[in-house]
Amino acid sequence: MKTKRVFCLGGKDAMKKSVVLFCSSLTVLLSCAFSQAATIQGTVVNEKNMPVEGVMVSAIDTEHRKWTSVFTKPDGSFTIDGLRNCNYRLRTRLMGLADTWLSSVSANTDNLHIQTRPAVGEELELQRPANSAFSMLDFEDSHAKLNFKMMCSYCHQVGTVGFRTPEEPVDWETMLRRMDGFGGLFPHTKETIIPRLMETYKGDAVKQWPTFVPPPAPTGLAAAATITMWEMDELLQGSFHDLELGRDGRVYAVNIQNGKLIALDTESGEQTTYKYPKGAYGPHSIETANDGSLWTTMCASGKMVRFDFNTEQFETYSSAEAPKTRGNYPHTLRINPSDPEGLIWYTDAGSNSCFSIHPTTHVVKEYKLLDAGQATAAGRGESRGITPYGIDFSPVDGMIWYSKLNGNRIGRIDPSVDDGAIKEWNPPFRGPRRLHVAPDGMVWVPGFGSGVFGKFDPTTERWTVYELPDAENQIPYALNIDKDGIVWVCGTGNDTINRFDPVTETLVEFRLPTRVSYTREIEFDDEGNVWTSTSGPARHMERGVGAVIRISFPDTLPTNGGTQLIAKTYDGNHDVGNLAVAPKRRPPNQGLFQKI
């Protein structure tokens, strides 16, 4: 089933807690033309009339639900180009300064003078990112904190305004049960966490926090990007776990909560909604097959779905090997464009297996993975959970690599061998999530629980690990590597996307336009643009809707604006850093499990 909608979004003053308002604005609709050559220019200054660098300035096209954001230069100037000839709402944002909103700015305005002022009181506190809010929650030791991160932050940020809405202890207990979908939270943490959550986040508790100290403004490369964001789907319904760039030029995003595939035309702003077929629930991961069709893992129903955008038809298949009629929890999928068979590879987070399905015969093959104690460095910090999670192919030799989120492993499958000749390794950090293999064959892995990311060399079996800034409060969900070998890491806990150059070991952080931008996937287009989508509970998000986001860059990149990271190396004979063996888990709640 297909539907098309065009939305018009308005907004209230930034000081209001409710900032999302759906509207019908005939004036805006009539004033917009389809020219993409217009610009808006101006200068941002502080209360002393001095220029401010690194301020994000967003031009909001309400008809197309499109935000185009740039950053001010050292002289405070900004230019937003590529705009349609219509009226825009304009917002300025920099942590530490109050947001400024202009209700109607005409395209081709070239003399804006925007004066800002320091943010104070509640407006400053509302700028605090989730990693800082999470740091306010006390734990008895680092093991308990790491365990809580692993079990209770896999679908939303902890400590945000939306997170703090429960009122009574029973409400917090209900939320905790939902968060602990794996059932792996330490028993002693379960006994004490509700009072501590309430003491930290309920009611006036936030007023007792130390005053938020904003980070420095972005400069150099961190301020050179143009960030374009399209708000997706309806108010309080948009949670877009993954996205894919279709060969028809549209961007496809899966709404995991409502079982929808939404195709975005970035030129017209038109969003076309396709309802997944009956019996296929929980769209999770989506990729383009070698024939151009789109395949989706349906995690809640154990199915694989193929979508042909030419015929707009779906086909549904079991994700399990015959004679089973459904899989447990098909999770992430990847497809090697150099594979002559075009096999679709995917993990099953509810089993200890990876699978492939043939795109034309639809024959499914199961690869049974290793058990506890069988991995290199096994037994050191392993949990009893398994959870096959991320997966990718090596562009060097075609090997298939996967991660086990709770089993704390990465592994390799040789597709040329019938049983896969499977081998697994235990990384020196906690929570290997959505990994990717670089053009040189190095396997890059995010450490969700440890707030790190690392490189594994399949030849030497050595690890090189980098901590993100404020690692103990970060939750990097996924990463990807572009054609030039640059590693891009989701700043899932602080509304950023991070660029890491393995040669210079420099990390550059790109701030996203809205708060509570929980990201789980990164893609690239042929022009080198970086794409992501936002997910999690829409009611937690600043605008109340999920979004598709594109990050673009000038031809010449500044060399400053980053942070030098320090590598730590491990030879494979290591304990898993800062870990404790998790207690035996109960069977996962399947209704909640689909959120991961």
Side-chain angles (χ1 to χ4, degrees):
M1 183 175 68
K2 175 180 71 173
T3 59
K4 293 187 179 181
R5 296 186 178 93
V6 177
F7 295 97
C8 177
L9 277 180
K12 297 182 179 180
D13 186 89
M15 292 291 292
K16 303 293 185 181
K17 291 184 178 180
S18 177
V19 297
V20 183
L21 179 65
F22 280 81
C23 65
S24 175
S25 177
L26 183 61
T27 302
V28 172
L29 292 174
L30 293 177
S31 66
C32 290
F34 284 94
S35 170
Q36 301 287 328
T39 64
I40 294 176
Q41 296 177 305
T43 304
V44 178
V45 299
N46 62 18
E47 72 278 12
K48 297 180 180 179
N49 220 36
M50 299 297 293
V52 185
E53 181 181 9
V55 177
M56 178 182 282
V57 185
S58 301
I60 305 166
D61 180 339
T62 53
E63 181 193 0
H64 284 190
R65 304 180 67 193
K66 177 181 178 181
W67 294 46
T68 305
S69 302
V70 300
F71 297 86
T72 55
K73 298 178 181 179
D75 63 358
S77 66
F78 67 89
T79 299
I80 309 175
D81 54 22
L83 301 177
R84 298 192 303 142
N85 186 21
C86 64
N87 290 334
Y88 289 83
R89 299 184 70 232
L90 207 75
R91 188 203 68 189
T92 68
R93 168 164 289 178
L94 176 65
M95 283 186 278
L97 297 179
D99 286 3
T100 301
W101 286 86
L102 302 179
S103 60
S104 182
V105 177
S106 300
N108 293 318
T109 298
D110 61 4
N111 59 352
L112 281 176
H113 184 82
I114 304 173
Q115 189 167 45
T116 62
R117 61 172 177 80
V120 296
E122 184 181 6
E123 62 184 346
L124 176 62
E125 177 54 45
L126 288 173
Q127 297 178 359
R128 186 189 298 269
N131 63 305
S132 177
F134 178 57
S135 73
M136 299 296 133
L137 183 60
D138 289 331
F139 291 88
E140 56 269 34
D141 55 45
S142 59
H143 291 174
K145 183 172 186 176
L146 188 150
N147 173 252
F148 184 88
K149 286 173 67 179
M150 285 292 299
M151 299 301 151
C152 297
S153 59
Y154 56 75
C155 68
H156 58 75
Q157 296 175 349
V158 173
T160 61
V161 173
F163 178 88
R164 304 196 297 258
T165 54
E167 294 291 337
E168 302 300 327
V170 65
D171 301 322
W172 288 93
E173 290 167 1
T174 299
M175 183 177 71
L176 183 68
R177 285 196 302 272
R178 290 174 176 172
M179 289 193 299
D180 188 24
F182 285 117
L185 198 62
F186 289 163
H188 64 272
T189 301
K190 290 182 180 180
E191 294 173 0
T192 61
I193 192 63
I194 297 300
R196 284 186 285 126
L197 284 169
M198 296 181 68
E199 290 168 3
T200 306
Y201 298 123
K202 184 180 182 297
D204 292 338
V206 174
K207 295 180 180 179
Q208 308 305 315
W209 293 359
T211 300
F212 172 54
V213 179
T219 60
L221 179 53
T226 297
I227 302 178
T228 310
M229 180 181 79
W230 291 265
E231 295 180 332
M232 301 285 286
D233 210 353
E234 300 180 36
L235 179 65
L236 301 179
Q237 293 191 23
S239 178
F240 297 94
H241 197 288
D242 281 18
L243 79 164
E244 176 66 357
L245 310 179
R247 292 186 186 174
D248 61 350
R250 296 188 293 179
V251 181
Y252 290 83
V254 293
N255 186 323
I256 188 171
Q257 292 175 318
N258 295 313
K260 294 186 288 189
L261 174 64
I262 297 184
L264 168 68
D265 184 325
T266 59
E267 292 298 320
S268 68
E270 182 179 68
Q271 297 180 24
T272 305
T273 299
Y274 302 92
K275 188 71 175 176
Y276 279 97
K278 185 178 180 180
Y281 307 111
H284 192 279
S285 179
I286 182 169
E287 291 288 331
T288 299
N290 293 352
D291 66 356
S293 62
L294 295 165
W295 283 77
T296 307
T297 53
M298 309 302 291
C299 60
S301 55
K303 304 293 185 182
M304 300 291 292
V305 168
R306 178 184 183 271
F307 177 70
D308 187 324
F309 54 72
N310 293 310
T311 64
E312 299 185 332
Q313 297 297 310
F314 288 99
E315 302 168 8
T316 304
Y317 305 97
S318 170
S319 69
E321 188 176 85
K324 292 182 179 179
T325 58
R326 60 156 292 167
N328 291 316
Y329 192 90
H331 195 274
T332 299
L333 68 90
R334 301 287 183 238
I335 303 164
N336 185 349
S338 300
D339 178 7
E341 289 189 283
L343 296 176
I344 294 93
W345 289 86
Y346 51 97
T347 53
D348 189 309
S351 69
N352 191 27
S353 298
C354 289
F355 296 82
S356 68
I357 183 171
H358 195 282
T360 55
T361 67
H362 312 125
V363 172
V364 175
K365 179 175 176 56
E366 179 177 6
Y367 292 85
K368 295 185 181 296
L369 308 180
L370 303 187
D371 294 326
Q374 293 181 298
T376 300
R380 301 183 179 93
E382 288 188 316
S383 76
R384 291 188 175 93
I386 301 170
T387 326
Y389 207 86
I391 194 167
D392 198 22
F393 58 88
S394 171
V396 174
D397 56 16
M399 296 291 184
I400 302 299
W401 289 84
Y402 60 88
S403 62
K404 290 182 177 179
L405 176 61
N406 289 318
N408 220 69
R409 310 270 192 90
I410 68 166
R412 182 184 64 200
I413 300 171
D414 184 345
S416 67
V417 179
D418 188 57
D419 65 356
I422 294 167
K423 186 173 182 179
E424 295 185 356
W425 296 264
N426 206 335
F429 49 78
R430 189 71 171 95
R433 210 146 194 164
R434 282 184 145 174
L435 52 73
H436 267 282
V437 185
D440 61 0
M442 298 296 106
V443 184
W444 288 86
V445 188
F448 182 82
S450 300
V452 306
F453 62 99
K455 175 181 69 175
F456 178 72
D457 186 329
T459 302
T460 65
E461 300 189 0
R462 291 177 61 88
W463 288 89
T464 305
V465 179
Y466 302 90
E467 289 188 355
L468 289 170
D470 191 30
E472 69 170 326
N473 298 305
Q474 297 288 4
I475 47 173
Y477 198 107
L479 55 73
N480 204 346
I481 303 98
D482 66 23
K483 59 182 176 57
D484 297 320
I486 300 297
V487 182
W488 295 85
V489 186
C490 288
T492 312
N494 67 338
D495 312 326
T496 63
I497 294 292
N498 298 280
R499 178 189 189 272
F500 179 73
D501 186 335
V503 176
T504 64
E505 297 185 314
T506 301
L507 184 83
V508 179
E509 179 183 273
F510 297 95
R511 299 178 185 179
L512 301 180
T514 55
R515 291 188 284 270
V516 196
S517 292
Y518 192 100
T519 54
R520 314 193 201 211
E521 182 75 313
I522 296 173
E523 299 285 354
F524 310 107
D525 62 26
D526 293 339
E527 287 73 45
N529 300 311
V530 181
W531 293 79
T532 190
S533 59
T534 61
S535 66
R539 66 185 183 277
H540 288 195
M541 302 174 189
E542 179 182 356
R543 297 279 296 176
V545 290
V548 163
I549 298 171
R550 180 184 68 200
I551 306 176
S552 307
F553 301 93
D555 293 336
T556 302
L557 300 181
T559 57
N560 63 319
T563 301
Q564 190 77 29
L565 300 188
I566 299 175
K568 296 180 181 179
T569 58
Y570 302 84
D571 62 6
N573 186 26
H574 55 263
D575 289 333
V576 180
N578 199 26
L579 296 186
V581 177
K584 186 175 182 179
R585 66 187 183 99
R586 59 178 170 80
N589 183 319
Q590 293 297 325
L592 304 175
F593 201 38
Q594 65 177 287
K595 295 181 180 180
I596 65 173

